[in-house]
Structures are given as structure tokens and as C-alpha cells.
Amino acid sequence: MKKHEPISIETIKAMMNLTDEDLKKPLPKPTKWSQPFWDAAKEHRLVLRKCSKCGFIDHPPYLYCTNCHSDEHQWIEASGKGTLFAYAINYFGVPFPFWADLPYVLGMVDLPEGPRMISNIVECDFDKLANGMELEVVFDDVSEEITLPKWRPVKK
Amino acid sequence: MSKGEFAIIGTGEVPCGNYPERSEFEIAYTVARQAIQDAGIDKNDIGAVLCAQHIMSNPDNDYNTEMVFGRLPEAIGAKGCKVTCMTSSGGASSFSLRKTAEGILHSGETDTVLVVHAQRFSTFTPNEQAKYFSIAGSDVEWEVPYGMTYNALAAMITQAYMNITGTTIEQIAAVCVANRKWAMLQPNAMFNQKEITVEKVLNARMVSYPLTTLMCNVLGDGGSAFIMTTAEKARKVCDKPVYILGEASDYSHRTITRAGMRDFATMAEYLAPIAKRAFERSGLGPEDMDIFQIYGSYPCIQLIIMDALGLWEPGTTGALVASGETSPGGKYPVTTNGEALSFGHTGTGVGIALLVESVRQLQGKAGKAQVEGARFIIENTGGGAFMDCHFTVLGNQIPG
Ligand SMILES: [Zn+2]
């Protein structure tokens, strides 16, 4: 594969006439039904919404259980383990706030509890990425309010 | 709907590309008149005017607001118009518009419906476009904060598909090459000037591994229109109506992580029953198809859809495309307008463009891209983050 020089964020900023506001990263805006997830993430805990009636785990969560429509639920602690189902490495053409992070990895992570999540795979050599590899959750405090759960390979 | 109850009798289309001076209104009015002329009907016969949604809005003169509030029937002087509305399901809009048209025709209020799409991206800044498309394909709360993109979504699916099926990146690139060969025969395609090679596709700038720029679709200004009628009216006014012979649909998800198919190896297994239902309703099988109008917007998705048709062993379609059999002159013509990758992606019109090309092929009006003697076509569409899938069998005759 041919290597192309990355285009610096300064070049992009000048080319596209961007302001600092344009370079601010988008953060999750928790909803009434997702707030407990983000509250837990802030405490570096990974939680999932489990229906008390039918046992279904909804992620992303919704207002009520998508399986049986019950309101009754609890937030259970996830194991923090996952496996990589698929990945992509972004090199170019990303929203401008992410330009400075290039290249970065996106992965589909399967949790043993059932749900699948999209997240960044961090602390990883690109050459070592492999479908099915074991991952563990890490927490990135991106602002006062928001912590993003991310994933890294389990060290053997 | 029963087999061959409705037909498309005329189409219109403007070139796809960068045309900042051509407003979305000008496109809509132009393609509407073309479709009316092509169908050979009186404009006052049109009893319903349906519009596709415009992606992003111009605050001074918003196309969507204008169309929702009835601008188009007035602008084209459709004096017999009784119903007008906007229908959208993103890239699947060709299907939802057609279903809406079928419902209106079923009501008996009118026997002639005009469907119009128009899109102008080029007047929005790259930042505006980047912002819109970062939230269109990805979940704002759960994906966008991680720097998720449409291209990364397709890249992950491609990466998983290659890993599971053994399809090579050269075969993925071959899809782009085949699409380009078709686009070279299309006067309205955005990229119809230069052929590409597998090597060129692979050596283009890496966007989202394993996808290079030439494996990602490009947005273009454009628009198209078609006229749909009852089969009864179609036979009276048109030499070669194109009948809707069978349709089938399924919805899966908004957020890709909640997709019904957990494993993309079995994606064909999820899609196959939809194609099968469409074939069954038409009374035809995949082996009867003369053209396969496959919409994927990314090369790997085209292969996954092809895998679902029941004609080829799932996972082998990459090799089929690489053999040249889906290119012009091949045994299995696939996506004769060059697809989003080479025709250009016009937003909600991407599937309408493919439908319009299908009609042209079945009416013998496809010019240099014409597949001689084409009688039956299978066509698909889908929207969002691969949220749904719709298959349609079209024909210029109703099989017994
Ligand atoms: Zn439940």
C-alpha cells in the first residue's frame, strides 16, 4: 500500500477557513435514559441497562425495554471484557475535530454480556490488530462531564 | 400489490457533478418536464407530485419547505394535481417514494404520479458537509464522539467481510473498476472521462483502512424523475411500460451495533430471504435476470448484496467481478449507471438514479450502456447505516 503524507491540521484549518469552534470535538449529550451510563463512565465503571422483567440488555439504551416494553430495569456492571469483531483505521476525510488524532482506530467490540459497541481501540500497534482479539475497557476523561469508554488489547 | 399492477412510463435526469450555479429548484423543474415529455403524457394528467428530501437546507430558500408546501405542482403547471408530499428514507427513498405512489394509485384518486428528486451539495462548505455526514450515518451519542465516519463503517464491514470470506482487496478494487467502466458509457455520470485500474484504486490515498478514496463514493449535485401509473393506463399511453413485478423489504436498525445480522458472514443469509420474496412475487428467479442493478455505495456492500441473490455462492462474487463478467459486455451486467462510486452519490436520489437507469434499460433508451434485449432487472436499495434493504424485480413484460 502506498504511503501518503498526512495533511496537518494547520493546513486544513487554513484551507477550510475553520474556527476553533469548528475543531471542538462532539461529545455525547446524555438523555434521560442514558444518563446512568455516562454517570457510571465518569466513575470509570461500564454499566448496561438490563430489563428486570425479561432480562434483555439494551445498548444503546432506550426509554423502555425494546424487547418487552417494561420500564423496570437495573444497571448492571459489565465485565469490562470484549472481543474485536471488526476494525477500521481512519487516515483521512474525518470530521475536522478529529484531524489531529489521525490515524486512529475504530472497532466493533462484542461484549460477553451481549451488546456490541463502536469505540476506539487504543494503546495498540496497528500491525497487531486482529479480528477476535481480546480487549479490555479503559476510560478516557474527555471533559469534566464526559468520560468515553474505549478499549485496548488485553496484555498477555 | 399484485404482479405488474403498476408501471413506470417515463424518466428524466440531469448530469451528476459539481454544478453550484444550478439550483435544486432548477433541477427539479428540469427533470419533471423531461419525465413528462419522455412519458408522452399531458402534464395535466398528473394527479400526484411526490418529492424526495433534499440533504441539508439553505436557510434563505429551503427546498424541503417549499416542496412540502406545494411548490412543484405550481411550478410545472400540473393543473390536475390532487396530492403532493415529500417522502424520505435516505438512500432507500426510491423505494419509499414508489410505495407512496402505489398507495396513491391504489386509492383511485389519480392514475398518474410524478416523482422528483433534486440535490445540490456544492453550495455548502466542506465543513457543513462533513458535519452533516458525520451524524447522518453514525449515532450522535454513541459513535460520533469516537470520530466515527460513514467511510469507517463501510471499512469495518469490508474488513470483516474479507476476513470471513477470503475476498481480497484486489477483488474489492475490481468492483470500483467495473463500476467505472459502466460510468464511461453514461453521459450523466460524474466520472465518465477516465478508466481506472485495480492498481490505481489500491494506490489512491488511504481514507479508512482498508478503503482508499477510490473505494468511497463521492457526493454530486444531481436529480432525476419518473412517472408512475397503473398498468392499465401505461398500456394506453406508452409503447414500452416498465412493470413492477415483485417487491420485498426489511428493516434492521438505526445503529449498526444493533443490526439484526451479528456476523457479516451471514449477512447474505439475512438479505437472501428478502430477495427470494421479491423473486417469488415476480414469478421469476435470479437466472431470469438480464441486469442486476445493485446499490451498495461501497464496493463490498455491492458484493454482499450480490451474495444474497441466490445466483452465486456467497463469498465468491468478488472473484466474479474481478473476472470481468459484471462489466460491459460481460455475462452478468451489474449496476449499469456506474453506481454511487462512479455515477456520483446524489443523496436521497442515489437509488432513484439507479431506478431511472433500470427503466431506461428496459425501454431500450440506455444509449451506449444499453444491454441488448434486456427484459428483466433485479434492483435493490437501502438507506442510513445500512438500516434496510429493498429488492424489486422490474420487467418490460409481465411473465405468465
Ligand atoms: Zn424487557
Side-chain angles (χ1 to χ4, degrees):
Chain A
M1 235 156 273
K2 208 161 133 186
K3 292 272 178 236
H4 289 86
E5 281 305 307
I7 302 173
S8 78
I9 183 65
E10 284 71 30
T11 309
I12 287 292
K13 215 175 148 182
M15 261 169 64
M16 301 296 176
N17 209 6
L18 302 175
T19 64
D20 287 340
E21 193 62 24
D22 292 328
L23 296 179
K24 259 199 189 156
K25 279 194 178 148
L27 293 179
K29 293 188 185 70
T31 56
K32 207 197 260 184
W33 48 90
S34 68
Q35 189 69 54
F37 178 94
W38 297 110
D39 288 346
K42 210 172 147 181
E43 296 167 4
H44 291 201
R45 293 186 301 119
L46 185 70
V47 298
L48 297 165
R49 186 196 192 283
K50 184 175 186 180
C51 176
S52 305
K53 203 171 153 207
C54 75
F56 187 72
I57 295 175
D58 264 304
H59 189 84
Y62 281 102
L63 178 60
Y64 40 80
C65 173
T66 62
N67 188 47
C68 77
H69 278 200
S70 171
D71 289 319
E72 305 300 314
H73 67 278
Q74 45 182 322
W75 288 89
I76 60 160
E77 298 282 334
S79 62
K81 300 279 179 250
T83 45
L84 184 62
F85 173 69
Y87 67 90
I89 310 169
N90 274 356
Y91 283 92
F92 182 69
V94 300
F96 299 117
F98 292 93
W99 210 276
D101 299 347
L102 291 174
Y104 61 89
V105 183
L106 286 154
M108 282 194 200
V109 182
D110 285 338
L111 276 57
E113 292 81 7
R116 172 174 286 175
M117 293 179 178
I118 296 259
S119 187
N120 296 125
I121 311 301
V122 296
E123 302 173 39
C124 182
D125 190 339
F126 291 174
D127 297 334
K128 299 218 168 79
L129 285 164
N131 306 51
M133 75 193 296
E134 288 175 40
L135 303 169
E136 62 189 14
V137 72
V138 286
F139 293 92
D140 186 357
D141 302 315
V142 291
S143 75
E144 289 263 305
E145 294 304 314
I146 293 292
T147 295
L148 295 176
K150 297 183 176 179
W151 299 80
R152 70 176 174 205
V154 173
K155 291 195 180 70
K156 290 275 152 69
Chain B
M1 191 200 84
S2 60
K3 187 165 79 181
E5 191 180 353
F6 303 111
I8 298 172
I9 59 170
T11 62
E13 186 176 75
V14 293
C16 179
N18 276 308
Y19 298 95
E21 301 302 320
R22 187 182 68 184
S23 80
E24 49 277 34
F25 295 92
E26 181 184 342
I27 296 171
Y29 305 160
T30 303
V31 295
R33 186 171 62 183
Q34 285 175 352
I36 293 164
Q37 284 172 350
D38 185 46
I41 58 164
D42 186 318
K43 68 177 169 61
N44 297 330
D45 282 357
I46 294 165
V49 176
L50 309 185
C51 300
Q53 184 199 10
H54 188 268
I55 303 283
M56 302 192 285
S57 62
N58 171 358
D60 301 327
N61 189 14
D62 178 35
Y63 178 88
N64 290 339
T65 308
E66 285 296 318
M67 293 301 150
V68 165
F69 292 144
R71 175 66 67 197
L72 192 53
E74 179 177 299
I76 65 170
K79 294 194 183 112
C81 181
K82 293 166 178 166
V83 183
T84 188
C85 69
M86 178 171 284
T87 301
S88 180
S89 52
S93 296
S94 59
F95 193 84
S96 43
L97 281 156
R98 229 176 49 222
K99 295 308 281 184
T100 307
E102 288 171 14
I104 293 168
L105 291 169
H106 249 307
S107 76
E109 197 64 54
T110 175
D111 59 8
T112 310
V113 181
L114 167 68
V115 179
V116 171
H117 167 260
Q119 176 69 44
R120 181 170 52 160
F121 286 114
S122 58
T123 44
F124 295 97
T125 66
N127 193 28
E128 284 169 327
Q129 295 190 34
K131 271 187 186 159
Y132 179 84
F133 281 95
S134 71
I135 60 165
S138 312
D139 189 293
V140 191
E141 184 174 1
W142 304 99
E143 297 172 4
V144 172
Y146 293 99
M148 182 66 173
T149 55
Y150 245 129
N151 293 333
L153 173 59
M156 281 191 255
I157 294 174
T158 306
Q159 195 269 329
Y161 181 81
M162 286 167 53
N163 188 259
I164 291 161
T165 64
T167 298
T168 64
I169 196 68
E170 287 77 14
Q171 290 168 345
I172 298 285
V175 178
C176 309
V177 174
N179 286 166
R180 179 60 60 91
K181 284 189 174 148
W182 283 109
M184 297 287 290
L185 307 175
Q186 293 285 352
N188 291 337
M190 192 167 178
F191 301 102
N192 59 9
Q193 298 298 315
K194 243 162 93 188
E195 288 231 21
I196 50 175
T197 59
V198 165
E199 201 188 5
K200 193 174 172 198
V201 174
L202 295 178
N203 286 331
R205 180 181 278 275
M206 186 58 70
V207 173
S208 187
Y209 174 87
L211 303 182
T212 67
T213 45
L214 287 173
M215 298 175 188
C216 300
N217 61 75
V218 178
L219 299 173
D221 306 333
S224 52
F226 62 90
I227 294 195
M228 201 158 136
T229 68
T230 60
E232 197 189 348
K233 161 129 182 174
R235 278 189 282 272
K236 275 187 215 148
V237 300
C238 181
D239 294 340
K240 221 167 199 184
V242 173
Y243 299 100
I244 292 150
L245 300 176
E247 299 173 313
S249 298
D250 204 4
Y251 162 85
S252 168
H253 60 270
R254 161 61 170 142
T255 311
I256 189 73
T257 53
R258 293 186 68 122
M261 56 272 175
R262 301 291 295 166
D263 180 339
F264 297 108
T266 58
M267 205 157 171
E269 280 172 41
Y270 164 80
L271 297 168
I274 315 171
K276 194 162 176 268
R277 282 204 304 280
F279 280 127
E280 275 168 9
R281 287 168 186 162
S282 73
L284 297 167
E287 64 286 353
D288 299 313
M289 299 298 110
D290 299 307
I291 302 174
F292 305 82
Q293 301 289 29
I294 304 302
Y295 167 62
S297 72
Y298 290 91
C300 174
I301 313 293
Q302 287 183 50
L303 297 180
I304 292 171
I305 303 280
M306 288 170 69
D307 283 347
L309 296 180
L311 195 55
W312 305 291
E313 187 64 34
T316 66
T317 48
L320 177 80
V321 172
S323 77
E325 288 289 21
T326 66
S327 297
K331 191 176 171 199
Y332 306 105
V334 170
T335 317
T336 59
N337 77 342
E339 230 260 1
L341 288 160
S342 271
F343 182 87
H345 194 312
T346 59
T348 60
V350 66
I352 305 176
L354 202 52
L355 177 66
V356 159
E357 165 64 6
S358 300
V359 174
R360 283 193 299 248
Q361 286 283 356
L362 293 172
Q363 291 192 317
K365 296 176 181 172
K368 283 196 272 180
Q370 184 67 48
V371 174
E372 283 314 314
R375 301 155 303 151
F376 302 115
I377 288 178
I378 176 103
E379 175 251 343
N380 83 287
T381 190
F386 314 113
M387 70 169 180
D388 57 0
C389 180
H390 311 276
F391 283 105
T392 305
V393 178
L394 301 156
N396 55 19
Q397 49 201 277
I398 302 174

